[in-house]
Amino acid sequence: MKKLISIFMCLLLTLSCAACGKKAEEPGKETAAQKEESKETVGSQSESKQPGGNVQEDVIKIGVLYPTTGSSSVIGLTCQQACIMAAEIINGSYPDLDMPLAAEEGLPNLNGAKIEVVLGDTQGDPIYGQSEAERMITQEGVVAIVGCFNSSVGLTISQICQQYEVPFINADCASKSLSLNNEGYEWHFRTGFVETATAEGYFDYMDALREKGEEINTLALVYENSEAGITASDSQRELAEKRGYEIVLEVSYPSSTTDVSSEAKKIKAADPDVIIHGTYVSDAILYTEAYKALNYNPKMLLACSGGFTTPQYLEAVNSDGNYYSCLDTWSISLGETKPLVTQVNEIYQSMYGADKMMDGVNARSFNGMITICDAINRAGSTENKAIFDALLETNIDAGKLITAYGIEFDEASHDNKHASLLMTQIFDGEYLVTWPFDSAGADYVYPIPAWSERP
């Protein structure tokens, strides 16, 4: 009897252990079969969220990445606004605007799909720009990125877009390092101009003034020691030697500077005929204040779009900015011969305030958004390669854009073949075209009047 009870207890214990063993396979611990099944499910989910895929047929996400905090935030915010406005025009119906995708609502080749703008902040820092680009692609599912103002940030964004094979539409970074034939950023497309074009614009203008009898011989190069400033000065130095101008001073300063009085004193002591400035808006304000404090003016001050050319600059310095000359891609005076410029500027004012006006930087951002949406529409798809191929076939006529040029990408560099520049001069708070002379909205003033002689 004892023997039978003992056998029975052993059997009971065995069954109990087996049950415990089954119970030990908790939900978090998968069997080999479950793991394989889970792997397949995750794989299919991952594929559906891959960058460039059609996440929703009626909504297409495009990243807009600019500095909205930090020293360049004032410009970055207006660039965002211009991109949002471009999406508003594309999503709505604006039949009076003679430009791509304005007449119909949404993208006609994708059943009227609407553009959703995904915003990001680079803080003007390459590291933040890189992480924001990756977030936009891997978490937000954007099919392209438009940006980003700072050339040093553009380099890191290009690296991320190259890694994920997502188009980066560089609307406003001028550094030649970004060109495909320099760094190999195949997914980078520049709709604006390259710094070499900026340098050529300065010297073409000075040459044109020389032909009119103006004496221009000596130059000072003043630039921020960032990617854009350093590479731009290289081009200017090279052209100065080729075209017979003497550089009497170079001033390089950090982007974080809050005082340029010592730099301004050096420039006054050198007394060049022309100062060529490569600055952002905060620096442009500082230099203007320093020159006035020293009661100093060169015969001419030349700057590029982005610092002296923004409405925020004139809001800060008012009439002290008069007579400075700026290479640019946009001027309200273009509206005299191209009504589209005036029409789009009026939409901008209706969205952001009657006291606001577009400028050369956010006009290029607007172009960037129009260009990528036009490519997506022509591709009839949000697949990466289809958009890439459509971008290479882009050919938007200058008459259908708010800048002075059209857009067509060079196959070797992915830079815009047609990007060109105007020279504007500030008169009573307006940037009026002074060169090319046959497109001028005002006669140039050279030399700049002394501070005591200004009205």
Side-chain angles (χ1 to χ4, degrees), residues 13 22 33 35 63 81 91 95 109 122 160 169 181 196 199 220 274 292 325 394 411 450:
L13 187 60
K22 263 198 161 174
K35 280 183 180 176
Q81 289 174 344
N91 290 340
N109 293 348
T122 70
I160 292 298
I169 307 303
N181 49 6
T196 48
V274 177
K292 187 175 184 181
S325 295
T394 295
E411 192 173 342

Side-chain angles (χ1 to χ4, degrees), residues 45-46 48-53 55-56 61-63 116 118-119 130-143 145 160 164 166:
Q45 287 174 347
S46 175
S48 69
K49 292 184 180 179
Q50 279 296 311
V55 179
Q56 284 181 271
K61 292 185 177 183
I62 296 176
E116 180 181 333
V118 178
L119 300 177
Q130 186 175 35
S131 62
E132 278 289 82
E134 188 158 23
R135 176 187 66 82
M136 284 183 164
I137 294 168
T138 61
Q139 296 179 35
E140 298 286 353
V142 302
V143 302
I145 292 176
I160 292 298
Y164 289 98
V166 168

